[in-house]
Amino acid sequence: MKPFKMAVLALCMSPLATVSLPVSEVHAAKTIERACVKSERKAASKPLCGCIQDVADMMLSRSDQKTAAKFFDDPHRAQEIRQSNNRSHEKFWLRYKEFGQTAATFCRG
């Protein structure tokens, strides 16, 4: 990840950063967090899933978040998209991979 992008992400994740969204958008923005909390993974916790959602909000579009949230229920779908020859899937996978690496860095327990 580029240093500038890392600095912006670090600043946005600081406790002083606040974002005001309409209530309906806040609910819609928690697509990944809800899927993560609902998942049966041992490590899934409200704080961890919330952190992952914060990173998703900064790095993924709503459409990308909806696609990624489905991976919690259907991990095989992630594999299908990763191996797809569809150009939009390839572009999504690059964004998703960068998101995953960033979330892993910032959301360690």
Side-chain angles (χ1 to χ4, degrees):
M1 179 176 274
K2 295 181 178 149
F4 176 75
K5 208 172 192 181
M6 291 287 288
V8 170
L9 184 60
L11 176 63
C12 291
M13 293 191 67
S14 77
L16 300 176
T18 59
V19 176
S20 296
L21 294 172
V23 174
S24 61
E25 286 191 38
V26 170
H27 180 70
K30 296 188 178 211
T31 306
I32 290 179
E33 181 178 359
R34 282 182 275 132
C36 175
V37 170
K38 271 183 17 181
S39 75
E40 295 181 9
R41 290 168 176 79
K42 280 185 185 180
S45 68
K46 191 86 166 143
L48 176 61
C49 295
C51 180
I52 294 168
Q53 181 64 61
D54 290 342
V55 175
D57 287 342
M58 287 181 266
M59 298 186 73
L60 299 176
S61 69
R62 298 238 189 223
S63 176
D64 285 350
Q65 289 185 38
K66 287 179 184 179
T67 300
K70 293 175 184 173
F71 298 163
F72 286 91
D73 285 333
D74 185 6
H76 182 67
R77 181 69 181 136
Q79 186 71 359
E80 290 173 345
I81 288 176
R82 187 182 70 80
Q83 293 179 328
S84 172
N85 290 327
N86 179 306
R87 187 69 182 133
S88 65
H89 286 171
E90 291 175 20
K91 287 180 177 182
F92 165 80
W93 194 258
L94 292 174
R95 292 187 304 272
Y96 181 73
K97 184 176 173 184
E98 185 176 10
F99 153 71
Q101 292 168 339
T102 304
T105 299
F106 285 99
C107 301
R108 283 183 253 197

